[in-house]
Amino acid sequence: MNRFSKTARLTAFFLLTGAAVSFAQQTATGYVFHDMNGNGKKDRKEPGIANVSVCNGVDVVATDAAGRYRLPVGDDNILFVIKPSGYKVPVNEMQQPQYYYIHKPAGSPALKYKGVAPTGKLPASVDFPLTPYEESSNFTALVFGDPQPYTLDEIGYFSAGIVSEVKGISNIAFGLSLGDLVGDNLDLHNPYIKAVKEAGLPWYNLMGNHDMNYDAVADSLSDESFEASFGPANYAYNYGNAHFIVLDDILYPDPRDGKGYWGGFRKSQLDFIENDLKLVPKDKLIVLAFHIPLLHHEENAFRNADRQRLFDILKDYPNTLSLSAHTHLQRQNFYGKEDGWRQEKPHHEYNAGTTSGDWYSGGITGKGVPDGTMRDGTPRGYAFLNIRNNQYTIDYKVAGAPKEYQIKLFHPKVVNQQRGTAAGIFANFFMGDKSSKVEYKVGNGNWKKMTYLEEADPAYQLELFKWDTAEELMPGRRPSNPENCTHLWRGAVPKGLPAGEHTIEVRATDMFGRTFTQTGKIRYELPK
């Protein structure tokens, strides 16, 4: 999401939007093979692996009985293997999966931030090594939303506040960052890579609107620097009984007016998804990951025709999930038939909270990292995607807090025992949505249902007022103005409880049937 407005340099846009590249059509061929000695090269006695998908960015083919594939390529393609379950691809010293070959004989066009150097002539055989790997269908992946550092200092905040917390974590299959890996300065991609390497996990990345080449004159060229650092912006891989599809869903420059960006897909990207899924069994869990949420109101944020074609492609897959970030809020989006979803069960999109929080704003914590609470009151943090066969649950972990911290309470600390108060007890259930069951009780009272609201989190507003009423400069940067929270509940403060301290208890049940609790203290006093 934008922190600063951008003006794209669009000279010659009309020359390149239609057909930017003159294709010198060739056929790429090679093998997907069992790399028995781990040297990354196909040796004479190393067997090919059959029925593995390979892609040129649009077309997807399965290898034959000998592990061989053939695909057309032009002057700008990235060939990649779609990792099958039960195998692993090599990773480089930075923990980046090595599953692709870039074919750009002339390299990327001249841009402010470097793209891919000329790759030269297409090799006679483009081969992809795989190693058999015991891969459980029950696994967990680590998910980061928007690291988005604009400076090396903010890279330091990301390292100290997030990466250090997960360094050496066990029983995690891989990591995935949901875009805005950096904030416009693409020279920070390498420091970001070095930072996230310390997690010690194979790490996948996708492109956000702040990872683009803003001086690109066509959407197909906006990912040139991303490709140089991370490989293809659209790709897929399997793990266990899940099939992951990672996508660039930013149209830049905006095709409506040539200014800024818009959420959506090029036709070739949707063709890739359709071609890919033709070779994926219908009972798999399909996990789509992209930066900008599919949610829109009258196409303000996303092109509806692209969302509709995506939904049409997914119509025969009963187990699906989308992951997005971008908003620097946290919310659960559900798409039903009224949105063009073509199944009875709505499609769930988890719009993840961010590791940068509210762009590294707020007071400085004990770790020297800005608090970063997001505008809906969600603390900055990261998520765990837990997959069991073809079903999933998601856990949100607040950075620097116990994993049990899932609800933030806001309530009076003391009330008049005789008069009561019109103030409320508020519960911000970070992973909640309007269908969540949230209840509370005070002292020995009965459990009561709390009322769902969509308004600003009062706890966040209070922190903001401290900035706005301070008589001296506070360390750090003022947080952004609040946005309505989509996981907020309110209960009335009971009247006439005995004088003294009472415990507030809140319990909330998420969409996966799990219940979380949080407590607070409220004191009733007689007026003096």
Side-chain angles (χ1 to χ4, degrees):
M1 188 173 179
N2 276 327
R3 188 169 86 177
F4 309 112
S5 61
K6 296 294 170 189
T7 302
R9 287 177 280 173
L10 301 175
T11 306
F13 171 78
F14 66 94
L15 295 175
L16 290 166
T17 48
V21 180
S22 61
F23 284 95
Q25 195 75 16
Q26 301 178 74
T27 298
T29 186
Y31 292 88
V32 178
F33 68 97
H34 177 187
D35 189 12
M36 299 172 70
N37 60 10
N39 68 355
K41 299 177 182 178
K42 189 180 185 309
D43 298 315
R44 186 170 58 87
K45 293 185 178 181
E46 292 182 326
I49 304 173
N51 295 318
V52 178
S53 294
V54 183
C55 183
N56 62 5
V58 179
D59 305 298
V60 182
V61 297
T63 56
D64 63 17
R68 192 175 188 189
Y69 72 91
R70 296 173 66 87
L71 280 166
V73 295
D75 292 333
D76 185 358
N77 287 90
I78 302 183
L79 297 165
F80 59 90
V81 63
I82 297 176
K83 185 194 88 64
S85 297
Y87 289 88
K88 62 180 178 179
V89 298
V91 295
N92 64 12
E93 66 279 5
M94 293 297 173
Q95 294 292 319
Q96 295 176 291
Q98 302 296 288
Y99 59 92
Y100 59 89
Y101 173 79
I102 299 177
H103 177 62
K104 294 179 188 280
S108 297
L111 295 162
K112 177 181 177 180
Y113 295 103
K114 278 188 177 182
V116 176
T119 59
K121 184 180 177 182
L122 182 70
S125 187
V126 179
D127 302 327
F128 296 104
L130 295 176
T131 306
Y133 182 66
E134 188 174 341
E135 196 171 273
S136 174
S137 60
N138 297 340
F139 67 94
T140 298
L142 186 56
V143 179
F144 284 178
D146 295 49
Q148 204 169 341
Y150 284 82
T151 64
L152 285 173
D153 284 343
E154 291 183 349
I155 288 276
Y157 297 152
F158 172 60
S159 295
I162 300 292
V163 178
S164 65
E165 191 166 298
V166 300
K167 184 176 181 179
I169 194 169
S170 58
N171 300 318
I172 302 295
F174 57 85
L176 171 63
S177 289
L178 298 175
D180 282 0
L181 312 175
V182 300
D184 299 332
N185 178 359
L186 306 191
D187 286 338
L188 292 176
H189 274 155
N190 281 337
Y192 158 79
I193 291 167
K194 290 178 181 177
V196 81
K197 164 187 176 287
E198 294 302 310
L201 299 169
W203 206 274
Y204 294 94
N205 296 279
L206 64 82
M207 192 172 83
N209 53 289
H210 289 283
D211 298 307
M212 299 187 303
N213 295 97
Y214 282 116
D215 50 345
V217 293
D219 184 50
S220 60
L221 301 175
S222 65
D223 59 358
E224 295 293 316
S225 295
F226 180 91
E227 290 177 345
S229 295
F230 302 100
N234 305 282
Y235 59 97
Y237 59 94
N238 295 280
Y239 199 104
N241 204 25
H243 182 73
F244 290 78
I245 305 175
V246 178
L247 300 164
D248 157 24
D249 71 341
I250 306 127
L251 298 171
Y252 178 86
D254 186 330
R256 295 172 293 187
D257 59 8
K259 299 175 182 179
Y261 62 85
W262 195 17
F265 303 105
R266 300 187 302 276
K267 178 181 181 299
S268 60
Q269 295 174 280
L270 291 161
D271 289 345
F272 156 60
I273 301 168
E274 186 169 13
N275 293 333
D276 170 48
L277 288 178
K278 287 176 182 177
L279 300 175
V280 176
K282 300 293 192 297
D283 65 345
K284 290 269 191 181
L285 171 64
I286 309 301
V287 181
L288 301 114
F290 36 75
H291 184 62
I292 297 178
L294 300 172
L295 186 69
H296 69 79
H297 300 286
E298 298 181 351
E299 297 194 299
N300 62 332
F302 207 95
R303 188 160 64 185
N304 192 61
D306 301 341
R307 188 179 80 174
Q308 187 59 60
R309 187 179 169 201
L310 177 65
F311 286 175
D312 292 346
I313 293 169
L314 294 170
K315 68 182 176 62
D316 296 323
Y317 290 83
N319 305 302
T320 61
L321 167 69
S322 287
L323 303 172
S324 62
H326 182 60
T327 61
H328 295 258
L329 307 169
Q330 180 154 272
R331 62 181 293 159
Q332 315 298 332
N333 298 327
F334 294 94
Y335 303 95
K337 288 187 175 180
E338 67 278 9
D339 306 302
W341 182 247
R342 298 182 61 187
Q343 299 182 41
E344 291 298 323
K345 179 185 175 183
H347 176 65
H348 175 212
E349 176 185 55
Y350 170 49
N351 186 217
T354 61
T355 55
S356 60
D358 182 56
W359 297 278
Y360 302 106
S361 68
I364 306 302
T365 69
K367 282 191 171 183
V369 177
D371 172 77
T373 296
M374 288 173 268
R375 295 165 294 154
D376 64 349
T378 305
R380 62 182 174 83
Y382 48 92
F384 293 97
L385 172 61
N386 312 300
I387 293 178
R388 302 295 178 262
N389 192 24
N390 60 5
Q391 301 300 306
Y392 67 91
T393 60
I394 302 170
D395 295 308
Y396 186 68
K397 170 67 172 64
V398 173
K403 66 180 181 180
E404 293 80 12
Y405 181 46
Q406 298 293 316
I407 307 167
K408 184 172 185 176
L409 302 185
F410 179 87
H411 55 82
K413 300 298 186 290
V414 60
V415 296
N416 187 319
Q417 194 265 347
Q418 293 180 340
R419 286 187 174 181
T421 178
I425 296 170
F426 292 83
N428 187 337
F429 179 29
F430 309 136
M431 280 295 290
D433 71 277
K434 62 184 179 182
S435 67
S436 300
K437 182 180 180 181
V438 182
E439 300 172 298
Y440 80 115
K441 71 173 185 174
V442 181
N444 296 320
N446 296 323
W447 286 101
K448 295 181 180 180
K449 184 178 178 181
M450 301 187 81
T451 301
Y452 176 76
L453 307 169
E454 287 196 17
E455 59 184 47
D457 177 2
Y460 184 83
Q461 289 181 302
L462 178 62
E463 290 302 311
L464 199 59
F465 292 152
K466 290 178 182 178
W467 286 80
D468 292 347
T469 58
E471 296 186 5
E472 296 182 2
L473 287 177
M474 297 172 65
R477 190 179 76 250
R478 180 190 185 275
S480 302
N481 289 335
E483 293 280 345
N484 283 352
C485 179
T486 58
H487 37 85
L488 185 67
W489 285 260
R490 184 187 188 279
V493 177
K495 295 180 180 179
L497 292 189
E501 188 174 73
H502 300 268
T503 298
I504 298 170
E505 296 181 67
V506 171
R507 64 186 183 192
T509 303
D510 69 9
M511 70 185 77
F512 309 113
R514 302 173 305 180
T515 299
F516 304 91
T517 60
Q518 190 67 38
T519 61
K521 298 290 185 181
I522 187 168
R523 193 170 71 255
Y524 286 70
E525 287 187 1
L526 294 169
K528 295 177 181 179

